[in-house]
């Protein structure tokens, strides 16, 4: 899973040369841009959200506002999340301030959600296929990530919960389902087997 700091730029996404970055028309503050992004992702149904930047983190895990709102050498922002169990990422570095790039990503998600209002959820989900988050070469997600468990869930996870979670996610990730694939289903099968083995079932 990507980390909030330092910036984890997604594989296959082109970078914008510093000389080609342009200030946006918006003068949004970090708190507003962040809250807007979280609201849009919540309406989308996203989970396991990680906002990755080069901004040093405060003790509460949030980035320092001054860094986010200043022109910096590395203004890129990458937002990782799960959507119906599938890892997705959106990244932007076309503006000189991280907050501008964060704000832009929130607007893109809002516009993509508009597809659902006008063309149905199947079209919206298909539009997100281009935002698949590819793991780093050789990287393997933990069974906790694949089964969409949070770290504080671990002590309460039972074999029955694992099997139930597997069955629910299989209806989404199966290759016969929209947005599903053989790779996603294979990963889910592996995660279930590893989870059951680890808890001794």
């Amino acid at each position: 899973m990507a980390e909030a700091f330092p910036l984890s730029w997604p594989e296959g996404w082109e970078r914008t040369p510093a000389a080609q970055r342009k200030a946006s028309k918006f003068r949004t503050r970090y708190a507003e841009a962040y809250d807007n992004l979280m609201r849009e992702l919540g309406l989308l149904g996203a989970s396991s959200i990680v906002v990755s930047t080069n901004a040093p983190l405060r003790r509460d895990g949030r980035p320092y506002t001054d860094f986010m709102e200043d022109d910096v050498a590395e203004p890129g922002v990458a937002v990782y999340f799960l959507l119906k169990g599938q890892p997705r990422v959106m990244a932007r570095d076309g503006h000189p301030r991280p907050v501008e790039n964060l704000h832009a990503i929130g607007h893109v998600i809002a516009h993509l959600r508009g597809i659902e209002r006008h063309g149905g959820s199947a079209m919206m989900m298909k539009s997100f296929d281009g935002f698949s988050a590819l793991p780093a070469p050789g990287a393997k997600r933990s069974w906790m990530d694949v089964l969409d468990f949070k770290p504080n869930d671990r002590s309460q996870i039972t074999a029955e919960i694992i099997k139930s979670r597997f069955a629910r996610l299989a209806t989404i990730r199966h290759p016969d389902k929209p947005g599903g694939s053989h790779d996603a289903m294979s990963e889910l099968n592996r995660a279930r087997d590893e989870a059951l083995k680890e808890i001794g079932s």
Side-chain angles (χ1 to χ4, degrees):
M1 190 66 173
E3 298 293 333
F5 173 82
L7 173 64
S8 179
W9 191 257
E11 182 182 354
W13 285 65
E14 290 187 22
R15 301 306 308 266
T16 303
Q20 294 179 19
R21 293 178 184 140
K22 297 180 180 179
S24 76
K25 297 179 293 184
F26 305 102
R27 287 293 157 210
T28 309
R29 302 306 299 261
Y30 166 69
E32 181 185 349
Y34 180 85
D35 289 347
N36 178 65
L37 173 68
M38 291 300 125
R39 182 174 60 253
E40 292 298 336
L41 286 170
L43 292 169
L44 185 64
S47 62
S48 301
I49 301 163
V50 175
V51 178
S52 184
T53 73
N54 239 27
L57 302 179
R58 306 181 313 200
R59 288 185 180 178
D60 64 1
R62 297 282 290 274
Y64 281 99
T65 300
D66 287 350
F67 183 99
M68 294 298 292
E69 295 184 354
D70 284 346
D71 287 13
V72 293
E74 175 50 89
V77 175
V79 180
Y80 293 84
F81 55 95
L82 293 179
L83 185 59
K84 292 191 179 294
Q86 296 295 310
R88 305 296 186 197
V89 62
M90 290 187 168
R92 182 86 169 101
D93 68 348
H95 301 303
R97 298 187 303 140
V99 67
E100 294 174 299
N101 293 311
L102 184 73
H103 188 64
I105 292 171
H107 273 291
V108 169
I109 292 171
H111 286 295
L112 287 172
R113 284 201 316 103
I115 296 174
E116 183 176 30
R117 292 192 295 273
H118 301 292
S121 59
M123 285 179 65
M124 183 192 72
M125 292 304 299
K126 192 67 180 169
S127 72
F128 274 92
D129 286 351
F131 298 104
S132 295
L134 302 175
K140 183 177 81 169
R141 293 200 297 155
S142 72
W143 63 262
M144 294 276 292
D145 279 344
V146 176
L147 293 171
D148 202 15
F149 286 116
K150 294 178 173 55
N152 57 359
D153 293 335
R154 185 179 286 271
S155 63
Q156 302 168 14
I157 297 174
T158 65
E160 183 176 333
I161 290 173
I162 290 168
K163 291 173 183 175
S164 174
R165 183 68 59 91
F166 171 84
R168 179 174 64 80
L169 293 174
T171 65
I172 299 167
R173 300 182 190 178
H174 193 277
D176 291 342
K177 300 293 183 180
S181 69
H182 290 287
D183 288 344
M185 196 64 207
S186 295
E187 182 183 49
L188 185 61
N189 286 329
R190 174 190 58 76
R192 176 201 55 193
D193 296 344
E194 289 182 1
L196 292 173
K197 182 177 180 180
E198 185 169 317
I199 70 166
S201 294

